[in-house]
Structure formats: structure tokens, C-alpha cells
Amino acid sequence: MANWLRAYQFSAGQAGASGFAISELHIQFSVEKADVSSPNTAKIALWNLSPEHKAALEQKDCVVTLNAGYRGNAMGISSHNTPMVLTGTVTNVVTEDDGADQKTTIDVLDGRKELRDSYVSFGYLQPTDSKLILQDAAGQMGLPITFSQGATFKRLESYSYVGLAKNVLDKVCASNGLVWSIQNGIIQVTKANEPISTIAHLISSKTGLIGSPKKLTQSEKNSGNAEENSSKNKAQAGWEIRYFLNAAIGVNDLVQLESKVVNGIFRVESVKLEGNNMAGDWLCTAQVVEAAS
């Protein structure tokens, strides 16, 4: 790998207010992301936080952001590459002794507060594009929204609803044959198994691929559960790949996989990002599938 000298920044505080940032303490993280409407999850451990930092994390709906990557490279050229690993709302904080140190473990859900607390009231009396309804719901949730290139939208003669914004996303997406998820605080709306972008990230032995991709088999899945609106609604050719941490590659992104056993363009269906700045490698384990053409 060209990159070396791992770097991270963890920040926390109330939404819209100044908080605190940490980049030198011992950290361990495990983040799991998938193309489903239920929130992505993270477990982050930090050692020897100050009492003020622990108090901030324990405040209701504390927002945290973790960036991680590499600083500098093998040629000695100074650079920074620390993309966002996760942002979300703290759901639980536990501090316990760890030998002579204190370990604080933080559970985080991406979009948790917005999904829990965002209520909307819509009354469209004129014919309205479904896309506008989704954009209005996202606006009332306070989240950006992005759409895949192939997403299409029906025109509704009228539409009214009062309730959780999440239900609007579920119903309007389902009626248009679309799926949605929240990735790093951004709502993504796509056709089933369609990437959010046409740009493909190269994954090869030269860019961090570890070992050989593992072939996956995937059975038919048709649960009908809105909480699990994964685009895995067909049997697809898929692979599990491991590579050195690259948080710039997210769910629904395309990867150009180059290896001895498989080559091609795939969509990231799920990814687990793990690291500990005091031991071991920083790794991603992703499941990738053939993208819709």
C-alpha cells in the first residue's frame, strides 16, 4: 500500500453546537453498513476520556462523527486522506475500568434521531411528482437526499399524510419500485441493486485488496418487511472482499474489482469497517454484488 501512518478524528456534541474533537487517544471501532432502511450501526471505544468529554457523550442525542484513514505515504509526501467512517446519534455510553485505564464504549445509530423524531404533515391537492414528496420529507427530517441515475417517479393526483417521515419514505419508494437507506447522514434513494453513482473505485492488490475474494451464494429473499428493504430481492452473483480501510467506499458505491479469481464492476451491498490504532490493521470487509445494468 502507498498509504501509511493511520490517522483518525472523533468529534461529538449537540447538533448545531460546538463540541469536542479527539485524534490522539486510543480508539477502537467497528461500523456496519448495509443497503437497508434500518440504521447503520457503530460501536466505538475510547480510552481515558476526560470527565467533560464523557458528560458530553451522555447528553441526550449527542451526535458523533468518525473520520479515519491515512496520513502521508511511502514516498514521504505529506497528505491527508481521512474520509468519514460514520456519523450518527449516540444511543448508549458505558465507561468501565480496563486495567489502569478507563474504557468508554459508545453505541451509535446513523440517522437515529431523524427517524425517531421527524413527523410530517403533507397535503398536496394538485398533481405532484413523487420525487418532490420525498424531497419534502427529507427536508423536514433535516437530511440531504440523493437519487440514483435510474430512479423514476410517478406523478400522484393528490397526496396527504400526517405522521412519521420514515413512513413517507417507505410508502412513496415502494410505490415507485425504489429502495432507500441512510448513509452517513444522507438519504439514498435507488432502484433495486442500482448504484448511487457511476464512478467505480478500484480495488486490487495494489490498492489494498487482501487475499482472494470469496464467492457468495444468495438465495431468494422476499420478506416484504419495510424495515429490511434491501435490494437483495433476487439471487445475485456476489463476493466477499477484504481490503485495507478505505471509508471513501460506501454502500451502493461501485467498485472495480481486480483479482486472480474475479474481475468486474460490482455494487457494495454491505461493508464492515474495523480498526484499532494500537494494534492490528484497519480493515474493511465488504459484500459486493453484480450491479443492475
Side-chain angles (χ1 to χ4, degrees):
M1 291 247 336
N3 290 319
W4 66 288
L5 193 56
R6 296 169 298 187
Y8 80 89
Q9 178 166 300
F10 173 88
S11 58
Q14 294 298 300
S18 60
F20 69 89
I22 289 170
S23 59
E24 301 298 332
L25 294 180
H26 181 189
I27 189 172
Q28 180 176 315
F29 58 88
S30 178
V31 179
E32 298 189 36
K33 302 181 179 185
D35 61 348
V36 296
S37 59
S38 53
N40 293 329
T41 63
K43 189 176 289 290
I44 302 168
L46 287 157
W47 277 258
N48 300 324
L49 288 171
S50 71
E52 293 77 15
H53 291 163
K54 286 183 281 189
L57 288 167
E58 290 167 356
Q59 290 183 6
K60 183 180 179 181
D61 294 333
C62 178
V63 177
V64 302
T65 300
L66 175 64
N67 290 59
Y70 305 91
R71 182 173 59 238
N73 59 43
M75 301 301 293
I77 301 171
S78 177
S79 63
H80 289 272
N81 180 22
T82 54
M84 184 185 295
V85 173
L86 181 96
T87 186
T89 306
V90 174
T91 60
N92 192 47
V93 180
V94 175
T95 298
E96 57 190 347
D97 290 335
D98 183 20
D101 301 310
Q102 279 204 324
K103 176 184 177 183
T104 299
T105 303
I106 308 151
D107 293 318
V108 182
L109 293 180
D110 188 357
R112 188 248 192 178
K113 182 178 185 299
E114 292 81 3
L115 291 172
R116 182 196 65 200
D117 296 343
S118 297
Y119 287 82
V120 297
S121 178
F122 290 145
Y124 300 96
L125 302 181
Q126 303 297 323
T128 304
D129 193 301
S130 298
K131 184 175 183 179
L132 176 62
I133 297 173
L134 293 173
Q135 289 171 324
D136 286 351
Q140 293 193 40
M141 294 173 75
L143 295 177
I145 188 168
T146 185
F147 303 91
S148 66
Q149 194 172 61
T152 57
F153 304 89
K154 297 177 181 177
R155 191 169 180 82
L156 303 179
E157 291 304 313
S158 63
Y159 183 84
S160 60
Y161 175 79
V162 176
L164 279 172
K166 175 189 177 301
N167 294 337
V168 176
L169 300 179
D170 285 339
K171 293 176 181 178
V172 175
C173 283
S175 69
N176 285 276
L178 304 173
V179 293
W180 68 273
S181 65
I182 298 178
Q183 306 296 334
N184 289 351
I186 300 173
I187 300 172
Q188 292 187 359
V189 176
T190 70
K191 289 175 60 178
N193 198 34
E194 185 184 35
I196 196 66
S197 170
T198 57
I199 299 172
H201 302 266
L202 176 64
I203 297 184
S204 68
S205 59
K206 294 181 179 179
T207 64
L209 181 66
I210 300 171
S212 296
K214 175 185 175 183
K215 179 69 174 177
L216 298 176
T217 57
Q218 199 160 269
S219 61
E220 294 279 336
K221 183 173 182 180
N222 190 16
S223 67
N225 187 339
E227 284 294 328
E228 297 179 354
N229 68 341
S230 171
S231 54
K232 298 177 293 203
N233 56 353
K234 295 181 180 179
Q236 297 165 299
W239 299 84
E240 181 177 280
I241 57 176
R242 297 176 73 236
Y243 51 95
F244 290 111
L245 182 73
N246 186 349
I249 301 173
V251 168
N252 289 325
D253 282 344
L254 287 178
V255 295
Q256 179 181 341
L257 180 59
E258 294 183 356
S259 72
K260 293 181 179 179
V261 297
V262 60
N263 294 277
I265 304 293
F266 298 88
R267 180 185 65 87
V268 178
E269 183 178 79
S270 64
V271 61
K272 184 175 184 178
L273 307 94
E274 300 174 281
N276 184 327
N277 66 336
M278 296 296 180
D281 294 317
W282 289 13
L283 300 175
C284 291
T285 303
Q287 292 189 358
V288 300
V289 295
E290 293 179 345
S293 56

